[in-house]
């Protein structure tokens, strides 16, 4: 996941906005108690998500893949007044952990958790979204994209995480690798689908910004 030196990554983080205290606590507890803490967006990417959300000022945000709630709280920083953030995850054991931090934030009444398969839940959300963050099971990225594009407002932004997949997108695909082929298909889709315009940013493990036309 590290495409530049860790010293340079530290310099970048140290010259970006500081990590808010609540998110620092969430970060620390995730590393202490939760498996696969590297899935956390973390300080620098979190500030990128926050900045993009503040620029967009979305009325409605959708997050696919909550994990421990770090990215959701970053995205919530840019919510328009009375805006909402719907976040979907399949891991029941993380629901209370997420809620603890959501309730400690200024957006506790604006963040709505959904437990289950995102492919089933997304069609039930009766909203038009201004900002979507996809950071869940890679095998369904293409499916998520086709589900959410019709639910986006014109000019809405779709953010897709892990699109460089630790550099595996440049390597020969291994026979038992189910994720990389889908990400290769997904990256091509984002760059060729006439409904969006896309730029892929080499931030952390790859973050794509797609604007709905």
């Amino acid at each position: 996941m590290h495409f530049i030196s860790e010293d340079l990554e530290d310099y970048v983080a140290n010259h970006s906005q500081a990590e808010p205290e609540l998110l620092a606590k969430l970060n620390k507890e995730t590393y202490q108690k939760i498996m696969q803490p590297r899935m956390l967006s973390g300080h620098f990417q979190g500030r990128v998500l926050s900045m993009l959300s503040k620029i967009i000022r979305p009325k409605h945000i959708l997050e696919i893949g909550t994990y421990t709630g770090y990215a959701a709280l970053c995205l919530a920083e840019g919510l328009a007044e009375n805006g909402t953030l719907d976040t979907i995850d399949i891991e029941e054991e993380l629901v209370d952990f997420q809620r603890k931090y959501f309730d400690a934030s200024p957006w506790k009444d604006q963040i709505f958790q959904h437990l289950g398969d995102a492919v089933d839940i997304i069609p039930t959300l009766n909203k038009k979204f201004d900002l979507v963050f996809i950071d869940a099971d890679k095998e369904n990225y293409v499916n998520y994209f086709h589900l959410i594009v019709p639910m986006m407002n014109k000019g809405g932004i779709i953010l897709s995480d892990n699109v460089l997949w630790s550099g595996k997108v440049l390597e020969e695909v291994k026979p038992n690798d189910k994720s990389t082929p889908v990400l290769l298909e997904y990256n091509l889709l984002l760059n060729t689908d006439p409904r969006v315009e896309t730029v892929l940013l080499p931030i952390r493990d790859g973050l794509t910004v797609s604007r709905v036309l």
Side-chain angles (χ1 to χ4, degrees):
M1 191 180 292
H2 295 279
F3 299 112
I4 62 175
S5 72
E6 291 194 32
D7 287 342
L8 197 54
E9 284 187 345
D10 289 341
Y11 182 88
V12 169
N14 291 334
H15 289 79
S16 299
Q17 184 187 38
E19 184 179 41
E21 182 179 353
L22 179 65
L23 290 176
K25 290 180 180 178
L26 193 164
N27 193 332
K28 183 177 181 180
E29 189 172 0
T30 297
Y31 272 84
Q32 289 174 336
K33 299 180 180 179
I34 308 298
M35 293 180 64
Q36 297 181 300
R38 71 191 293 269
M39 291 171 58
L40 196 79
S41 289
H43 171 203
F44 173 63
Q45 185 174 345
R47 292 304 85 204
V48 172
L49 296 177
S50 169
M51 182 67 75
L52 290 171
S53 185
K54 288 172 181 174
I55 292 169
I56 298 164
R57 291 297 287 170
K59 178 70 174 178
H60 296 301
I61 299 174
L62 171 62
E63 179 187 45
I64 306 171
T66 317
Y67 190 48
T68 55
Y70 191 102
L73 289 171
C74 294
L75 295 168
E77 292 177 25
L79 271 174
E81 187 176 359
N82 300 319
T84 66
L85 188 154
D86 289 271
T87 183
I88 306 169
D89 204 279
I90 203 167
E91 301 294 342
E92 185 175 1
E93 64 271 18
L94 293 178
V95 171
D96 291 341
F97 187 103
Q98 300 158 6
R99 193 73 247 171
K100 177 176 72 171
Y101 282 95
F102 294 161
D103 284 347
S105 79
W107 309 282
K108 62 180 181 179
D109 296 324
Q110 296 168 269
I111 300 177
F112 300 93
Q113 294 164 284
H114 303 271
L115 178 64
D117 192 327
V119 171
D120 297 326
I121 293 171
I122 292 169
T124 71
L125 302 175
N126 187 26
K127 294 178 183 177
K128 295 286 281 187
F129 294 100
D130 305 296
L131 177 59
V132 173
F133 183 43
I134 304 176
D135 186 20
D137 55 314
K138 312 313 165 192
E139 292 89 342
N140 269 311
Y141 265 37
V142 173
N143 294 330
Y144 296 147
F145 177 79
H146 287 304
L147 281 172
I148 63 176
V149 168
M151 301 174 68
M152 300 289 296
N153 283 317
K154 185 176 180 179
I157 299 295
I158 301 170
L159 304 174
S160 308
D161 200 15
N162 305 118
V163 291
L164 294 180
W165 207 222
S166 299
K168 292 179 183 178
V169 292
L170 294 179
E171 301 171 358
E172 183 177 350
V173 179
K174 297 179 180 178
N176 62 342
D177 185 346
K178 296 181 180 179
S179 298
T180 304
V182 177
L183 284 172
L184 290 169
E185 178 187 356
Y186 184 68
N187 290 340
L188 179 61
L189 172 65
L190 291 185
N191 200 37
T192 57
D193 193 300
R195 297 174 294 178
V196 297
E197 57 182 356
T198 292
V199 61
L200 198 165
L201 305 176
I203 293 173
R204 204 161 173 256
D205 196 25
L207 180 70
T208 301
V209 181
S210 302
R211 177 175 173 269
V212 177
L213 301 176

